[in-house]
Amino acid sequence: MEELLNHYKTVTPENTTNWVKVGTTQDFPENGGACIKHNNRQIAVYNFTLTSSWYACQNLCPHKLEMVLSRGMIGDSQGIPKVACPLHKKTFSLQDGSNLNGEDYKIAVYPVKIEDNMVYIGFSD
Amino acid sequence: MKKVIVVGNGMVGYKFCEKLAAHADFEGFEVIVFGEEPRPAYDRVHLSEYFADKSAEELLLAPANWYTDHQIELRTSELVTQIDLEDKKITTHKDTVFEYDYLILATGSAPFVPPIKGSEKAGVFVYRTIEDLDAMKSYAAKLKAKGKKSAAVLGGGLLGLEAANAAKELGMDAHVVEFAQRLMPRQLDQGASDMLQSKIEELGIGIHLSKATEEIMGDGAIERMDFADDTHLDADMLIISAGIRPRDELARASGLQVGARGGIYVNEKMQTSDSSVYAIGEVALYNEGIYGLVAPGYEMADVAVEQITGGEKAMAASIDMSTQLKLIGTEVASFGDPFVENHDVVAITYENKQRGIYKRINVAKDGSRLFGGILVGDSSDYNTLFQIYYNAMKLPENPEDLILGSRGGESILGSVLDLPDTAQICSCESVSKGEICEAIQDGTAANLKDIVKCTKATTGCGGCKPMVVDLVNETLKSLGKEVKDTICEHFEYSRQELYDLVKVKQITTFEEALARLGKGCGCEVCKPVMASIFSSIYMETANKQPVIQDSNDRFLANIQRNGTYSVVPRVAGGEISPQKLIVLGEVAKKYDLYTKITGGQRIDLFGAQLHELPLIWKELIDAGFESGHAYGKSLRTVKSCVGSTWCRYGMHESVTFAIEIENRYRGLRSPHKLKGGVSGCIRECAEARGKDFGLIAVDGGWNLYVCGNGGATPKHAILLAEQLDDETCVKYLDRFLMFYIRTAAPLMRTAPWLDKLEGGIEYLKKVVVEDSLGIAEELELEMQGLVNKYECEWKQAIEDPEMMGRFKHFVNSDETDETIEFVSLRDQKMPKPW
């Protein structure tokens, strides 16, 4: 399973080469998340309606390598948007993927853009 | 690089390492620690908890990797056998030789076994190490298998009572045998001992005072103890706890100066007769005394660290032996000189047999100062009294107020901030009031958690915690900061306040609550709390605001190891027809689910993928099942025994009543999960007293017990009311549950809630049974309102196409998650292990 982790590397808007349309904004619950599939990747997409922001990260929990992060609760910590893994409540920054409980786990994050009510995720390959 | 060798890895030996590792000059030292026990240092003070709920691992003061992380070499199971003072070398039993610049002897003590004939017999134990406890445990298990249950403890001191508690935890009938005419003769006077004795006897532990044991009788193994007064006590095992002897044999053989009655002689720098060798802890003979408490041991460790790092710190001339602890559930404290009474000093005592409290203070006749005292049954004043004694503070005009409480309602001490900065608050870690307040004033610490982290206060015996909490809060207040038990950074309110605010302001959504009461986007802490509050007030299901639900509630199922879910339909009271059992079997077979009977008398179906949940539930609901709320902080099950319908001993119909109650409270969301039980007679087959509420059938009705639980800290539920008819029973349950739901902190089960409730069970009885707050009717109406609004949330979900969208694994594809893997297990399946 460890090789699964290698599928996921953080992408920034700057090094995005490929914006993939993954659905309409209504497909994603307000102030919640859902999962999309692109090729062999599972990406969790979060709709922060309260701040009109969108975030995306790997759906894979880096701790036990299960495809669950999209089902986690979202929120913020000192203004940093975050997701809490549903398995063990480890929390991750959706800005840079770092673990907010001071552990070594890290997740890959992806850029999201909204155009004409359509949701796009940025990939670099 | 200076080489330091520490002989002994007990509490004090570890404390030395911890203090040295934290010292600024630590890099200049190379440290090797020898411990003869197989595991790293552990908490001997709380040893009896090993039988109750703590594992050996949890008792460790620091895990083994702490030593490696700090470049300290820990050699366990290795005994130092020789010291060569001249060449500064030690030899171990493996014949390995190590050199040192400083040698620290922290060899501790060994239990003293008095020369009693027969003490070599099987079944005679000492009480010091985890190995001793393991040996006692397996011996007790063998005894119990043979129906033998009597365990005696020789010694009624502090440790002996701890040992008696340990024996009780093992399920034995414990007896304490003491030579003196009172318990804890070094700390308690007769009045205090009498009070403690009656409290301990209430718990079924036998106390035998003024007994000199002459011989331990028995054929190979102990069967009986014979006393000098020609009486005897039958005992199947014996734990000897008659004092300690310093482990000074190594020092003695090497030529270090030792005391006539044992102990390694040390000066105020903790130096032995050889200036490179230090002795600390129970092995050190300082000012003619051996100190068997952890606080002076830690102080010695601190002095030794200071000395070898070039500091000046020395041991105080007189060592304070004050102590506060909970013995077999009873608070006991003794401070200063507990016995002094002469022409300058008088004792003031207070005795309350109804509440089991004894207090004594020894004050100067002119009322100028406090010399010491004793507290039994209620030691909440200990910290205050100790500070007044220790800092020689002025006494109030009527010194009796110190133990009776000032009748004006004000604290006797005034504010904790009135203490001098030098006042020692945490004696285990020697943290002063000044250190705590400064850390807050200069911003190093912002709350209690920070203080514990940076000063280590409260991490020893924990007795100082209330005072540390007060100090932190008062200091914060003095800086103009508000102190509150808030739920998280988004809401500056406690759960109870939020509950009231939501109700009064009629707030109905999380967004509205954030806008009106909070800030930010919320988080995984406040969202479920608010979801629970909305549900407890409006009885809304988890479908109304799915994204603020804890993730299990959001998908109405329990997430398992591999991200799949389990399905648990309600089986009220554990009663299920063969037809329904067949349905469960067929559904499980169709979806290839692992099935297991739960502890709550129902059936758990594991391994359902997210997209399968609605399909499975559709079939279950069509067959007449409903959600079991196993995923929620809500009523789980009401367990029952078969009761009077079938059982030849049954007094009432326990199944019928369990079903009625489970159906009444099904779907009720609460601060934590709720479990109930109904037993048809006092044989208690439903284990109702291990539940948040339990009913036991007796002659004339039901006895209602509340606030029990199983789990990590098992608690028996406590009797709230007796001989109730069905109707009254439900009424009291309504009031009790609603009162709990309104007032408990998030994720606080009923037992800790009752622990925190001021006035405890007596207060709860007043509120629930006597309606002392005049809210009984309101609570009942509120509960009835919730009961009337119950709806099965799974039925709701499968009937609404929009809600169903939640259960698709991918938004943009109908594929399912192909990463999920199962392996086989005894004809069923399980997740591929992590």
Side-chain angles (χ1 to χ4, degrees):
Chain A
M1 286 287 268
E2 262 78 18
E3 70 269 20
L4 266 180
L5 270 177
N6 297 326
H7 285 311
Y8 300 95
K9 296 271 171 340
T10 288
V11 176
T12 62
E14 292 74 43
N15 63 18
T16 297
T17 54
N18 182 16
W19 287 102
V20 176
K21 191 193 283 182
V22 296
T24 68
T25 51
Q26 284 79 36
D27 287 338
F28 299 88
E30 291 192 357
N31 297 307
C35 180
I36 62 103
K37 187 172 192 186
H38 175 59
N39 297 332
N40 56 1
R41 288 199 184 98
Q42 295 194 19
I43 304 291
V45 183
Y46 304 101
N47 174 5
F48 279 65
T49 325
L50 275 174
T51 54
S52 307
S53 325
W54 290 73
Y55 300 94
C57 68
Q58 65 189 51
N59 193 31
L60 183 69
C61 111
H63 170 215
K64 293 296 179 187
L65 306 181
E66 303 294 352
M67 291 293 186
V68 293
L69 288 184
S70 62
R71 293 177 237 161
M73 275 186 283
I74 58 171
D76 68 346
S77 170
Q78 313 294 331
I80 301 169
K82 65 172 182 177
V83 60
C85 177
L87 287 176
H88 297 95
K89 293 273 152 66
K90 294 180 189 299
T91 58
F92 300 93
S93 157
L94 291 172
Q95 272 167 358
D96 63 7
S98 61
N99 179 284
L100 297 172
N101 316 102
E103 292 172 296
D104 284 338
Y105 304 109
K106 200 171 163 42
I107 57 171
V109 294
Y110 296 83
V112 186
K113 72 172 181 185
I114 309 295
E115 271 171 18
D116 299 331
N117 266 337
M118 299 307 286
V119 182
Y120 297 82
I121 308 289
F123 292 96
S124 58
D125 50 9
Chain B
M1 197 64 116
K2 295 276 187 201
K3 289 189 177 133
V4 178
I5 287 182
V6 184
V7 184
N9 187 225
M11 295 183 77
V12 173
Y14 165 74
K15 185 54 66 176
F16 174 86
C17 295
E18 187 192 278
K19 298 252 181 200
L20 187 58
H23 198 277
D25 299 335
F26 178 54
E27 283 186 0
F29 290 91
E30 185 184 310
V31 184
I32 307 179
V33 185
F34 292 90
E36 65 174 8
E37 287 186 57
R39 66 191 93 240
Y42 51 89
D43 184 354
R44 267 189 243 279
V45 174
H46 297 105
L47 204 53
S48 72
E49 291 174 23
Y50 180 61
F51 287 147
D53 51 7
K54 285 218 172 149
S55 64
E57 192 88 333
E58 282 174 288
L59 285 172
L60 290 187
L61 296 172
N65 62 17
W66 180 88
Y67 299 88
T68 35
D69 287 351
H70 291 84
Q71 274 94 45
I72 292 174
E73 187 180 349
L74 173 63
R75 300 176 73 104
T76 48
S77 302
E78 193 160 354
L79 184 68
V80 176
T81 50
Q82 206 185 324
I83 305 173
D84 180 346
L85 295 173
E86 206 151 304
D87 295 336
K88 297 192 176 185
K89 281 193 295 209
I90 59 123
T91 311
T92 75
H93 77 290
K94 296 176 177 168
D95 271 339
T96 330
V97 177
F98 297 84
E99 293 182 349
Y100 66 82
D101 294 301
Y102 295 111
L103 180 65
I104 313 295
L105 298 174
T107 44
S109 66
F112 168 62
V113 179
I116 296 171
K117 221 172 128 193
S119 61
E120 75 295 338
K121 288 196 197 312
V124 179
F125 298 88
V126 293
Y127 183 77
R128 171 121 187 135
T129 66
I130 287 184
E131 281 64 35
D132 295 336
L133 266 63
D134 281 335
M136 284 159 57
K137 203 173 183 172
S138 67
Y139 196 81
K142 276 184 222 153
L143 288 179
K144 281 191 284 181
K146 285 186 251 170
K148 295 180 173 177
K149 280 190 73 176
S150 172
V153 174
L154 187 63
L158 210 152
L159 205 59
L161 294 175
E162 271 285 311
N165 194 36
K168 187 168 162 274
E169 294 285 353
L170 279 177
M172 305 291 288
D173 296 332
H175 293 270
V176 175
V177 178
E178 168 60 46
F179 177 75
Q181 53 187 346
R182 57 182 201 265
L183 292 169
M184 295 177 69
R186 294 171 72 167
Q187 287 92 6
L188 303 185
D189 62 9
Q190 195 63 47
S193 168
D194 290 348
M195 191 62 76
L196 180 62
Q197 177 175 359
S198 70
K199 296 203 83 159
I200 293 175
E201 281 172 341
E202 263 173 40
L203 297 170
I205 294 179
I207 305 285
H208 310 266
L209 299 172
S210 308
K211 295 286 178 197
T213 308
E214 289 231 300
E215 189 170 355
I216 294 164
M217 310 296 287
D219 180 15
I222 173 173
E223 287 163 18
R224 201 180 74 206
M225 297 165 75
D226 281 358
F227 304 126
D229 60 2
D230 286 338
T231 57
H232 68 269
L233 175 71
D234 290 330
D236 305 313
M237 66 187 277
L238 173 65
I239 304 162
I240 296 184
S241 178
I244 55 169
R245 286 291 176 269
R247 290 281 302 271
D248 59 7
E249 66 275 11
L250 182 64
R252 191 182 292 265
S254 71
L256 288 171
Q257 193 187 338
V258 293
R261 284 188 296 155
I264 307 170
Y265 166 82
V266 289
N267 60 18
E268 73 285 357
K269 298 173 176 170
M270 293 295 114
Q271 251 167 351
T272 65
S273 54
D274 179 312
S275 62
S276 305
V277 182
Y278 293 74
I280 55 178
E282 289 175 331
V283 77
L285 178 65
Y286 175 66
N287 271 354
E288 325 256 288
I290 294 286
Y291 306 91
L293 291 179
V294 74
Y298 282 4
E299 185 68 13
M300 291 176 182
D302 196 31
V303 169
V305 167
E306 286 294 319
Q307 287 293 335
I308 68 167
T309 51
E312 299 281 304
K313 186 170 175 170
M315 207 63 193
S318 80
I319 288 189
D320 179 66
M321 293 296 278
S322 301
T323 179
Q324 178 200 19
L325 70 171
K326 208 167 185 174
L327 274 175
I328 323 183
T330 302
E331 292 176 3
V332 178
S334 159
F335 61 95
D337 186 336
F339 306 120
V340 57
E341 212 171 347
N342 52 41
H343 66 278
D344 292 325
V345 183
V346 288
I348 302 176
T349 57
Y350 167 75
E351 189 183 55
N352 181 336
K353 285 192 171 151
Q354 188 213 353
R355 294 180 56 207
I357 294 172
Y358 176 88
K359 297 180 180 185
R360 165 181 177 159
I361 47 172
N362 306 320
V363 297
K365 262 192 184 148
D366 61 9
S368 62
R369 66 163 297 197
L370 177 63
F371 290 95
I374 300 168
L375 304 168
V376 171
D378 172 14
S379 66
S380 52
D381 294 333
Y382 171 76
N383 278 303
T384 308
L385 291 172
F386 176 77
Q387 293 299 345
I388 292 173
Y389 146 73
Y390 197 70
N391 297 296
M393 290 167 76
K394 212 173 122 271
L395 302 188
E397 199 177 334
N398 303 312
E400 67 269 25
D401 287 355
L402 289 172
I403 46 176
L404 295 175
S406 118
R407 272 133 290 180
E410 280 288 295
S411 157
I412 328 146
L413 192 61
S415 162
V416 276
L417 295 182
D418 295 344
L419 287 169
D421 275 351
T422 50
Q424 197 178 53
I425 304 298
C426 172
S427 51
C428 298
E429 293 289 338
S430 65
V431 182
S432 69
K433 176 214 163 198
E435 287 169 65
I436 294 173
C437 296
E438 262 166 48
I440 291 179
Q441 279 153 356
D442 67 16
T444 319
N447 50 40
L448 178 67
K449 218 163 94 191
D450 295 349
I451 284 291
V452 173
K453 213 163 143 189
C454 73
T455 65
K456 291 195 154 286
T458 75
T459 58
C461 68
C464 61
K465 194 161 177 195
M467 190 159 259
V468 175
V469 171
D470 282 353
L471 266 178
V472 169
N473 290 347
E474 290 300 317
T475 312
L476 283 171
K477 261 191 222 160
S478 74
L479 296 175
K481 293 180 184 160
E482 211 179 340
V483 189
K484 267 181 135 179
D485 191 12
T486 60
I487 58 169
C488 72
E489 65 176 85
H490 303 101
F491 292 95
E492 302 266 305
Y493 297 102
S494 68
R495 183 185 173 279
Q496 189 177 350
E497 287 169 327
L498 281 172
Y499 179 95
D500 293 340
L501 284 167
V502 166
K503 202 164 158 186
V504 172
K505 294 179 186 275
Q506 300 183 356
I507 294 171
T508 57
T509 67
F510 182 71
E511 283 80 36
E512 189 189 349
L514 258 189
R516 294 178 64 180
L517 308 171
K519 58 170 191 236
C521 298
C523 67
E524 75 281 3
V525 176
C526 59
K527 284 181 172 180
V529 171
M530 293 305 292
S532 161
I533 289 174
F534 287 127
S535 177
S536 297
I537 293 176
Y538 307 117
M539 197 65 185
E540 68 182 42
T541 66
N543 294 320
K544 185 165 170 260
Q545 304 187 66
V547 294
I548 64 163
Q549 306 294 329
D550 217 328
S551 39
N552 280 349
D553 293 74
R554 180 170 167 199
F555 298 102
L556 307 175
N558 297 54
I559 196 165
Q560 304 294 344
R561 276 180 105 91
N562 60 351
T564 62
Y565 288 88
S566 63
V567 169
V568 190
R570 183 165 305 288
V571 177
E575 178 184 81
I576 185 165
S577 67
Q579 186 47 44
K580 279 190 154 178
L581 269 177
I582 290 169
V583 172
L584 287 180
E586 279 173 348
V587 168
K589 216 155 102 185
K590 177 167 169 190
Y591 293 91
D592 188 22
L593 304 174
Y594 168 88
T595 56
K596 188 180 181 308
I597 311 284
T598 72
Q601 300 187 328
R602 42 195 194 175
I603 295 165
D604 208 337
L605 315 173
F606 292 80
Q609 293 191 38
L610 189 60
H611 68 276
E612 292 176 315
L613 288 173
L615 307 172
I616 293 169
W617 273 106
K618 171 89 178 50
E619 298 200 22
L620 293 175
I621 285 169
D622 286 347
F625 284 101
E626 62 179 357
S627 171
H629 299 92
Y631 44 80
K633 300 297 175 226
S634 54
L635 178 82
R636 295 289 172 81
T637 65
V638 179
K639 188 174 177 176
S640 68
C641 68
V642 74
S644 60
T645 48
W646 288 90
C647 177
R648 64 196 193 285
Y649 297 113
M651 316 253 317
H652 305 309
E653 280 191 46
S654 45
V655 182
T656 311
F657 203 35
I659 294 173
E660 183 189 329
I661 291 173
E662 181 162 341
N663 284 338
R664 180 170 181 79
Y665 302 121
R666 65 189 164 175
L668 179 70
R669 294 280 201 296
S670 44
H672 208 308
K673 62 185 169 191
L674 285 172
K675 296 180 177 184
V678 183
S679 276
C681 75
I682 50 152
R683 286 168 188 77
E684 241 286 70
C685 296
E687 296 163 338
R689 288 193 66 197
K691 311 289 182 207
D692 296 281
F693 55 89
L695 301 168
I696 299 174
V698 290
D699 209 8
W702 301 100
N703 279 0
L704 171 58
Y705 296 83
V706 293
C707 302
N709 59 240
T713 2
K715 275 259 161 76
H716 264 151
I718 304 168
L719 187 66
L720 184 76
E722 287 178 280
Q723 297 177 308
L724 307 173
D725 57 34
D726 290 16
E727 202 187 329
T728 317
C729 212
V730 169
K731 208 155 120 166
Y732 286 178
L733 271 176
D734 279 2
R735 297 175 184 179
F736 159 68
L737 290 172
M738 212 59 232
F739 189 51
Y740 161 67
I741 288 171
R742 276 188 180 189
T743 57
L747 298 181
M748 181 185 255
R749 281 195 73 177
T750 52
W753 169 73
L754 183 64
D755 270 349
K756 285 224 153 171
L757 194 68
E758 232 169 278
I761 186 72
E762 293 308 320
Y763 177 71
L764 187 62
K765 276 183 196 168
K766 284 198 183 109
V767 175
V768 171
V769 181
E770 297 165 25
D771 190 16
S772 62
L773 298 181
I775 56 169
E777 201 187 337
E778 189 185 320
L779 294 174
E780 285 168 41
L781 278 174
E782 216 169 316
M783 182 62 85
Q784 192 56 48
L786 296 178
V787 169
N788 295 345
K789 281 192 219 143
Y790 167 77
E791 239 187 301
C792 168
E793 51 199 5
W794 259 116
K795 188 159 185 289
Q796 248 182 1
I798 59 169
E799 283 170 357
D800 183 338
E802 206 182 315
M803 289 183 196
M804 293 293 279
R806 222 184 297 166
F807 300 99
K808 267 181 80 174
H809 190 81
F810 297 115
V811 161
N812 61 342
S813 157
D814 288 330
E815 285 174 52
T816 55
D817 183 5
E818 83 286 342
T819 62
I820 295 175
E821 288 179 72
F822 291 100
V823 295
S824 69
L825 168 79
R826 291 184 293 274
D827 300 333
Q828 297 200 61
K829 67 175 183 184
M830 62 173 261
K832 193 174 169 214
W834 281 340

